[in-house]
Amino acid sequence: MPASLFAPLTERPSLNRVLLRTLVVIAYLIIFAPVTMIVVTSFFAQEIVSFPPTALTWRWYVNAWDKPEFFRGLLTSLQIALIAAAIGVPIGTAAALAIVRGEFPGKQAISALLLAPLAVPGVVAGSGLYMFYVLAENTLDRDIKATTEGLVAAHVLVTIPWTVRLVVASLQGLDRAAEEAAANLGASPFTVFRRITLPMMRPGIVAAAMFSFIQSFENLDLSLLLVGPGRITLPVAMLNYLEFRIDPTLAAVATVQILIVGVLMVVTDRFVKLSRVV
């Protein structure tokens, strides 16, 4: 039989692979184009961004460092994100464990309720929390909105759904054979959880902590409505600066944010392979 008859069969997979790789490259370019533009723009010398740049400079980073609101906002964002992750991740982990391993009435409804904040727009959630805080202040006769405690509580509500989602995904992929073997050998339920279940859950918990920190650190919608005077987060400080100036200073600050998040993701992936959880 002539070999030419088999040529289309052998060439078609190669063509498909080339097309697939081309589409993947295009997708990556679309994803990274905004980030690349922000980083490149932060080095433009001219105050009004235009292409091509007349020169490159570091002065916008110096200008951002000279603005105390950016530094205070960075410290506040780091503090709020760390506290919110430290509170929300254990709560979300316990809830995820109960959802996957427990059997109780209304489990599906509780699971949907815990994941619901992911589907609610941030502005809607922030407005609802603001009105709830006003009502709670009138009832309890104490300040809640525009306080650090109120802002942390709002960010905890952001961290819990991410933790539940990632830890549930991690638990559903675990093989329970090791847990059952340990129980058959006489280990107590607490020992099984501490020595076997918790170490196997570690990738999901670490990924949940990272994503919770990032979601809180970069959150604008909730923070914009709940921050108090002199206690603003970095995204709010950037928005306030944008009201009066339009220059690459914001690109420089955003580049620092990207660098912090990127380093966090690389370090986390070094110890826990995120591709196995996310």
Side-chain angles (χ1 to χ4, degrees):
M1 186 175 292
S4 59
L5 294 177
F6 294 94
L9 298 178
T10 57
E11 293 175 0
R12 187 174 301 170
S14 176
L15 179 62
N16 291 340
R17 282 196 296 268
V18 172
L19 180 61
L20 177 61
R21 291 175 181 175
T22 303
L23 292 176
V24 170
V25 170
I26 293 174
Y28 273 110
L29 289 176
I30 294 174
I31 292 173
F32 287 104
V35 177
T36 304
M37 288 305 302
I38 290 174
V39 175
V40 172
T41 302
S42 68
F43 294 100
F44 282 16
Q46 61 267 38
E47 184 171 344
I48 304 299
V49 178
S50 60
F51 293 91
T54 57
L56 300 179
T57 181
W58 289 90
R59 74 185 182 103
W60 304 117
Y61 289 88
V62 177
N63 185 49
W65 180 260
D66 290 337
K67 303 293 182 183
E69 60 269 23
F70 288 140
F71 184 70
R72 289 197 302 265
L74 176 61
L75 293 180
T76 301
S77 292
L78 291 173
Q79 179 187 13
I80 298 297
L82 288 172
I83 297 175
I87 297 174
V89 171
I91 296 174
T93 301
L97 188 63
I99 290 172
V100 175
R101 299 292 176 84
E103 292 295 337
F104 51 89
K107 184 173 74 170
Q108 296 299 326
I110 293 175
S111 176
L113 179 64
L114 290 172
L115 296 176
L118 295 177
V120 178
V123 175
V124 176
S127 301
L129 279 173
Y130 180 83
M131 290 185 287
F132 174 76
Y133 283 174
V134 171
L135 180 61
E137 285 182 347
N138 295 333
T139 304
L140 302 176
D141 194 23
R142 61 171 300 175
D143 293 334
I144 300 178
K145 66 179 187 300
T147 64
T148 301
E149 294 79 8
L151 187 58
V152 168
H155 281 227
V156 168
L157 296 179
V158 175
T159 64
I160 291 177
W162 279 98
T163 303
V164 171
R165 179 180 179 181
L166 292 171
V167 176
V168 164
S170 177
L171 282 170
Q172 289 175 340
L174 294 182
D175 185 1
R176 301 194 64 177
E179 297 173 284
E180 294 171 354
N184 291 334
L185 293 173
S188 64
F190 178 75
T191 301
V192 173
F193 174 77
R194 182 174 60 89
R195 300 288 297 273
I196 299 177
T197 307
L198 191 59
M200 290 193 300
M201 292 169 56
R202 184 177 62 181
I205 295 174
V206 173
M210 184 199 68
F211 277 96
S212 296
F213 176 87
I214 292 174
Q215 289 297 315
S216 176
F217 179 71
E218 297 187 336
N219 185 277
L220 173 64
D221 302 328
L222 291 177
S223 303
L224 183 62
L225 296 169
L226 301 176
V227 294
R231 189 68 172 172
I232 61 175
T233 61
L234 183 58
V236 177
M238 295 171 67
L239 183 62
N240 292 340
Y241 183 86
L242 187 61
E243 293 181 2
F244 304 101
R245 298 287 299 274
I246 301 179
D247 57 43
T249 299
L250 287 182
V253 178
T255 301
V256 174
Q257 278 187 301
I258 293 170
L259 181 62
I260 293 174
V261 172
V263 169
L264 179 61
M265 294 189 68
V266 170
V267 172
T268 303
D269 190 67
R270 172 65 177 81
F271 296 98
V272 176
K273 293 300 180 182
L274 298 177
S275 58
R276 299 178 182 177
V277 182
V278 181

